[in-house]
Amino acid sequence: MRLRLFVLLILATWLGTGSALAEKRVALVMGNSAYKNVARLANPANDAALVGGMFRKAGFDTVDIKLDLSVVDMRKALRDFGGKAREADVAVVYYAGHGIELDGTNYLIPTDATLETDSDVLDETLPLDRALFAVEPAKQLRLVILDACRDNPFAKTMKRTIASRAIGRGLAKVEPTSPNTMIAFAAKAGSTASDGDAKNSPFATALVERLPMPGLDLRKAFGFVRDDVLKNTGYKQEPYVYGSLGGDDVPLVAAKPVVAGPQANPQDAVRRDYELALQAGDRDAWEAFLQTYPEGFYANLARVQLKKIGAEDARAAAAEKARQAEDEKARLVAERAKKAEQDKAAAAAKAAEDARFAAEKAKQVEEAKAAAAEQRRKDAEAAVAKALADKQAAEKALADKTANDKAAAEKQATEKQQVADSAQRVAAVAPTSSQPTLSAAETAKLVQSELRRVGCLAAAADGDWNASSQRSLTLFNKYAGTKFDAKLASFDALDAIKAKQGRVCPLVCDHGFKADGDTCVKIACRAGYRVNDDNECEKVQDKKPVATREDAKPRDDERKKVEAAPSKPQAAGQMFCGQAGCRPVQKGCRLESARPATPQGAAAMTSGGIAEVCN
């Protein structure tokens, strides 16, 4: 009878996996849960065990289940599986764990990866192409299933070595180039998948439900998987399949063969097998029956029979236990133990228990006392610490007040000193009762002289505060960083200009001259060259233009005007200011605008466009 049930099991297995006789199918299942450098994933190891069991029940010739693989282990597993795929018609790789997309390429992450920078991805992970390479030798079907679209914690902490490098959310879309190749993602490209709140992820649960259905084409099976996952995740996760197959149906499990001719009622065979198991009447027979017929009326009856056998086993175990108790009782009576000795032993045991209880209670009392003492110590330390903190706070407040008072006193003293210095400066410039008050022209002349000294005024200091003088004070404001009113000459402006030791405004020279320190010197060009409009030497052209009388006339007029300009004699009180400071004009000398060349036989000193000429 048991032999017949065994034959039925063999027949059912053959019917469910009839394609195995015609083709060889191999599968590699990998699940990474125990990551070393990020939080552990709950379900990948469970999902790998569930999917691997599904492949085995589907009649695959070889199913390798690998859990928690390092990068070296993953490379070895894919290399070994590639050798098995060379002899197979169907090759399947399933991976559950973390994955990452970098610059459009998908990578599978081993458990020992650190991924501190984006460049570590190339060294510490395996590209998805490595899994495709492993299934490539299969002759009929190449299938890669990835439950690796979970929210990746590595991407959040990874440092970018190149700012423009893209790290995607989820995995990137792929387009396999080999024919009869499919890649199934747990979630659509660019989105993440749920690890699930149950023992297995929603994607793995749908896979084992739909893929092994006999005769169901893989494309339709993955369509059912998509519908199941969408429904179970509230339409937040949508699985997706990339690649294409031919026109024929490609089921993972072949359809059961159709038996020709008249067929008996299927329930007759179930009933006969039930009667055989009933005649056997033991647990093994009923379990074999349920393995062959897991559902239906007779399956429920078989479960009732199993419960009956379980109840009988429990009753027999209870009877055996009672018999052993009676044997023990008889043994004690046979030993003729005296009641007095038993009472004495019981009293000693009670006394020992009372002593233990008293000791335990005393221990609790002492522990409570110790805890109270420790609390008092902590309270005392806290009080001392608070008093010390209050003292330090008071000392700090006093120190801050003293520092603030000192700063206020120093500020007041500084302000008083500034007022005194200002008064002294005004007194030094302001006329005394015995001196005449300076007129506006005299003040303007003093300011003009100082502006000439610092290189901001080229005209003479004549006391006329005209537009040229105003422009010179504006230039001084620009280069000295001051904001004096340029429309009038003031004592404040005079003090500020006097405070400057050297040139303030940059030296600007006429055409044909260049700056050399504080003076303008004529530009000397070598033979055959002349000064052009850009103040640079250029070669003279061979053909020279003929000057007309009209062209020469303005130059003659200018020359006569310059020659006719009278030289100003020395004026009393005139000052000449140069790099060494200001001094009165020497006797027999005069101040003139600096010309390109000093007259022959004259000595001259220049500064700021003004020359002291002595015959």
Side-chain angles (χ1 to χ4, degrees), residues 289-300:
F289 178 85
L290 286 174
Q291 189 172 359
T292 306
Y293 308 105
E295 302 294 338
F297 173 74
Y298 286 102
N300 294 334

Side-chain angles (χ1 to χ4, degrees), residues 332-567:
L332 292 175
V333 172
E335 291 179 353
R336 296 180 181 180
K338 294 182 180 180
K339 187 176 182 305
E341 293 179 355
Q342 293 176 351
D343 293 342
K344 183 178 179 181
K350 185 176 183 304
E353 180 63 19
D354 293 342
R356 186 195 63 79
F357 179 76
E360 184 67 24
K361 186 174 181 180
K363 176 186 174 184
Q364 294 175 356
V365 171
E366 294 301 325
E367 287 178 348
K369 291 181 179 179
E374 180 65 15
Q375 186 60 42
R376 288 195 298 273
R377 181 190 65 80
K378 291 181 179 179
D379 293 342
E381 291 178 353
V384 172
K386 184 176 183 304
L388 180 60
D390 293 342
K391 179 181 178 182
Q392 291 176 347
E395 292 175 350
K396 185 177 183 302
L398 180 60
D400 292 343
K401 183 177 182 304
T402 303
N404 292 336
D405 294 344
K406 182 178 179 182
E410 290 177 351
K411 181 179 179 182
Q412 186 176 6
T414 302
E415 291 176 350
K416 288 182 179 180
Q417 183 63 37
Q418 290 176 349
V419 171
D421 292 344
S422 178
Q424 184 178 1
R425 191 164 59 250
V426 172
V429 177
T432 61
S433 59
S434 60
Q435 294 176 340
T437 304
L438 292 178
S439 64
E442 291 173 334
T443 304
K445 190 172 183 180
L446 290 174
V447 175
Q448 288 172 337
S449 297
E450 289 300 314
L451 288 172
R452 284 174 57 84
R453 180 181 65 81
V454 297
C456 296
L457 178 64
D462 54 5
D464 182 13
W465 194 255
N466 51 25
S468 176
S469 300
Q470 294 176 12
R471 284 195 299 273
S472 66
L473 183 54
T474 300
L475 283 175
F476 178 83
N477 284 335
K478 176 180 178 181
Y479 292 103
T482 56
K483 296 182 180 179
F484 298 113
D485 187 2
K487 295 181 180 180
L488 54 89
S490 62
F491 285 104
D492 291 337
L494 180 62
D495 290 341
I497 301 170
K498 282 184 176 182
K500 303 297 181 182
Q501 298 299 320
R503 172 180 291 278
V504 174
C505 299
L507 179 62
V508 180
C509 299
D510 295 333
H511 179 263
F513 292 81
K514 64 180 180 179
D516 186 8
D518 291 334
T519 60
C520 293
V521 296
K522 186 176 181 180
I523 299 174
C525 296
R526 60 180 176 172
Y529 285 77
R530 65 182 179 84
V531 179
N532 61 12
D533 294 336
D534 295 330
N535 241 23
E536 296 177 349
C537 292
E538 70 176 7
K539 190 174 183 180
V540 179
Q541 301 294 330
D542 293 336
K543 185 177 180 180
K544 299 181 180 179
V546 180
T548 62
R549 187 179 299 276
E550 287 75 8
D551 294 335
K553 185 173 181 180
R555 298 179 183 175
D556 293 342
D557 294 343
E558 291 177 1
R559 178 177 56 79
K560 291 178 181 180
K561 190 181 295 184
V562 172
E563 291 176 353
S567 300

Side-chain angles (χ1 to χ4, degrees), residues 141-161:
L141 173 64
R142 308 165 188 91
L143 176 61
V144 176
I145 305 174
L146 295 179
D147 194 356
C149 308
R150 295 167 172 83
D151 189 11
N152 181 15
F154 289 100
K156 300 176 182 178
T157 59
M158 186 185 301
K159 297 178 181 178
R160 308 296 198 274
T161 58

